[in-house]
Amino acid sequence: MRRCRIAAVIMMLHGGLMELGGCLAVLPALAMGAEAFDAGRFFFFIVPYLQENLYMMLAMGGIYGALRLTGTIGRYKGRMWGLALSLINCVVTLALAIFMLPAGMMDGLLAASTLVLMLTAYFGKRQIAP
């Protein structure tokens, strides 16, 4: 149970600070105008499509952040749907992190550690074959 709580805290930080924080950064950028605030100066992705559509990437980060927090709340309350949603979030994040380098390195690290904690908490010491 302790591993589930640690994983919940990591996912809460991941979803709250990284994803939703990045999404909320769009609001002042839009208020100042795209010309005054060039987010491409501060964030660089190796895939040109992601770099060209940075504002949409930040909006998607908000959706990912909301899903992370929803899964975390469900898991914190001991619900299986929270575990399933959190597992899906971690797997998708690990699959997409390679396209968002260098920022994806932190996403991958947090998602991988959360995934390992959730799987070891759920499966425990069970063996594959008796």
Side-chain angles (χ1 to χ4, degrees):
M1 192 62 166
R2 184 168 186 249
R3 289 181 186 159
C4 278
R5 300 286 175 157
I6 294 170
V9 169
I10 292 172
M11 273 196 85
M12 199 176 304
L13 291 173
H14 189 190
L17 295 177
M18 287 190 64
E19 307 292 352
L20 288 178
C23 181
L24 291 176
V26 171
L27 298 176
L30 292 176
M32 292 184 340
E35 303 84 30
F37 185 78
D38 183 19
R41 290 184 298 166
F42 306 110
F43 301 105
F44 179 74
F45 295 111
I46 62 170
V47 179
Y49 178 78
L50 299 179
Q51 190 69 28
E52 293 166 5
N53 297 299
L54 197 55
Y55 290 112
M56 286 191 283
M57 285 279 300
L58 291 172
M60 284 302 298
I63 294 170
Y64 274 95
L67 281 175
R68 277 186 206 291
L69 292 178
T70 303
T72 299
I73 291 168
R75 211 174 62 245
Y76 201 74
K77 291 184 174 187
R79 306 289 191 255
M80 277 308 265
W81 64 263
L83 177 68
L85 182 58
S86 297
L87 288 172
I88 291 168
N89 263 326
C90 288
V91 170
V92 168
T93 299
L94 287 172
L96 295 177
I98 190 71
F99 299 110
M100 297 185 290
L101 291 175
M105 289 171 54
M106 184 56 87
D107 271 343
L109 180 65
L110 291 171
S113 61
T114 304
L115 183 62
V116 169
L117 284 169
M118 286 188 298
L119 290 175
T120 57
Y122 184 77
F123 289 108
K125 295 185 180 186
R126 287 188 232 168
Q127 295 188 0
I128 295 172

